[in-house]
Amino acid sequence: MPLPKDFLWGAATSAHQVEGGNWTSDWWRIERTSGAPLEPSGDAVDHYHRYPEDMQLLADAGLNAYRFSIEWARIEPEKGEYSRAQLQHYRRMIDTAREAGLEPVVTLHHFSNPAWFAAESGWTAPGGVDHFAMYVETVSSILDGVDWVATINEPNILSLMEMMRQASSSGAVASGLTAAQMPIPDEETGLVLVEAHRRAVEILRANTSARVGWTIAQQAFVAGPGSEETFPRISWLWEDLYLQASRGDDFVGTQSYTSQTIDSNGVVPHPDSPDNTLNGWAYRPDALGIALRHAHEVTEGVPLLVTENGIATADDERRIAYTSAALRHLTAAVEDGIDVRGYLHWSALDNFEWGDWGPTFGLIAVDRETFVRQPKPSLAWLGSVARSNGVT
Ligand code: BGC
């Protein structure tokens, strides 16, 4: 097996998608006011109270890592008012993960903002980055002993959310859109997020001993006919801007699900196909290899951590087939000398897919009335891959 002995094998979630009752966040409002037919997150899957059980399920299966996020809207529900009780809640999550034998991979921002922050015009408003920096400073007090911290999840998708919020005061990026159906993230917003990331890295390096990076939504772009001009421009605005900004970080999180072709007109939509996943994405397990190789090249060799990869499907056999093919592509990349430190599957639990409960990405199903957890065969399968440190 070419994978390093201390390779991380885990699963990932984000606070707003699983915790429930995230009333003080902008997403709670967006779900009610966007004008788009969005389903509410509500109690989500009550991970806020049930995280010990969820972590135990991952550990019992054989995984050794868990990626979750800290919710800024809970830590700072009103501007400048930090909740000590919520800080302690997330510290307990870190300790519980460790006690279960799971390496905590902690994300400080995963799409949702405090409602007050969004109401003040968010990231691009004067002082936007300073507010985030103060939150990072505060939260760094509970990160003692945490080895992996991601500052911002998918800044490229977050820029789109910012653009949409500014355009329509909604901020919703509907679930299940592909790069072909979304506007191209705008560079100015992206640069503000780069600044926020750099500030956060500085604070975390001063206050903690964690490896610090951020996680990028990679489209696994492939150059199609006539794309000599479109490819570099789109690739830059969609992801290279963010990957390049990771040079000098301790790691970069790569997140990929499908691949997209760029031709002379731009990103080519995925054709309708019975093979498409529940959210309409083409079935492309090879996307992971493309994404890893691209991230390695653009970051000039920053260590990579797969912080998300998975498939929205109701057919768990298909999840296993997709993941096992994706892992073969990961292994091939490692054999070619690319430094990959771990694989964190998206997602641990079936969860709130940003306005839609339909696309199920989880290794664990949840009855949303009783909150009873039902691990799927894919969880045991991934656990056995973890135990043998790779697909055989
Ligand atoms: C996000 C997750 C999301 C997943 C599947 C990523 O863009 O980080 O929050 O659920 O993709 O759509």
Side-chain angles (χ1 to χ4, degrees), residues 215-269:
T215 70
I216 314 300
Q218 289 196 249
Q219 308 303 320
F221 286 127
V222 173
S227 62
E228 294 73 17
E229 277 171 28
T230 45
F231 191 90
R233 186 176 58 85
I234 293 175
S235 193
W236 169 256
L237 292 171
W238 255 107
E239 61 189 59
D240 295 357
L241 161 69
Y242 305 90
L243 289 170
Q244 226 180 72
S246 311
R247 289 180 189 165
D249 286 355
D250 303 309
F251 74 94
V252 61
T254 86
Q255 315 201 151
S256 73
Y257 294 87
T258 189
S259 168
Q260 319 258 350
T261 300
I262 295 175
D263 70 9
S264 56
N265 297 315
V267 185
V268 181

Side-chain angles (χ1 to χ4, degrees), residues 14 17 110-111 153-154 157 255 257 279 281 308 346 351 353-354 361:
S14 89
Q17 293 179 270
H110 194 123
F111 291 165
N153 178 71
E154 297 191 344
I157 302 292
Q255 315 201 151
Y257 294 87
N279 49 0
W281 299 347
E308 288 185 24
W346 187 270
N351 62 33
E353 184 52 31
W354 305 107
F361 280 93

Side-chain angles (χ1 to χ4, degrees), residues 2 122 130 186 192 222 233 244 253 272 285 318 322 330 334 352 359:
D130 296 331
D186 117 293
V192 171
V222 173
R233 186 176 58 85
Q244 226 180 72
D272 280 340
R318 201 165 153 72
Y322 174 93
L330 178 154
V334 172
F352 174 70

Side-chain angles (χ1 to χ4, degrees), residues 11 36 63 72 91 103 107 124 141 147 165-166 179 185 201 239 256-257 280 289-290 327 346 348 365 392:
L63 300 180
W72 180 9
R91 181 64 223 184
E103 180 76 41
T107 308
T124 52
S141 66
D147 286 339
R165 194 172 50 73
Q166 281 163 18
V201 170
E239 61 189 59
S256 73
Y257 294 87
I290 301 171
L327 287 172
W346 187 270
T392 43

Side-chain angles (χ1 to χ4, degrees), residues 130-201:
D130 296 331
H131 286 313
F132 179 66
M134 300 251 292
Y135 156 69
V136 174
E137 184 78 49
T138 306
V139 100
S140 65
S141 66
I142 60 156
L143 296 177
D144 194 34
V146 175
D147 286 339
W148 298 87
V149 176
T151 59
I152 300 175
N153 178 71
E154 297 191 344
N156 39 356
I157 302 292
L158 184 61
S159 335
L160 280 177
M161 289 184 176
E162 278 296 292
M163 284 162 63
M164 292 194 178
R165 194 172 50 73
Q166 281 163 18
S168 66
S169 30
S170 85
V173 172
S175 159
L177 295 182
T178 64
Q181 296 159 307
M182 294 191 263
I184 298 177
D186 117 293
E187 189 168 26
E188 225 174 295
T189 312
L191 290 172
V192 171
L193 296 176
V194 167
E195 188 196 334
H197 171 61
R198 298 264 47 104
R199 288 274 295 279
V201 170

Side-chain angles (χ1 to χ4, degrees), residues 307-332:
T307 36
E308 288 185 24
N309 172 253
I311 176 171
T313 178
D315 175 354
D316 201 49
E317 287 291 312
R318 201 165 153 72
R319 186 176 340 275
I320 294 173
Y322 174 93
T323 310
S324 110
L327 287 172
R328 281 176 218 285
H329 289 284
L330 178 154
T331 309

Side-chain angles (χ1 to χ4, degrees), residues 5 8 47 73 92 104 190:
K5 265 209 315 291
L8 297 182
H47 184 67
R92 279 195 296 277

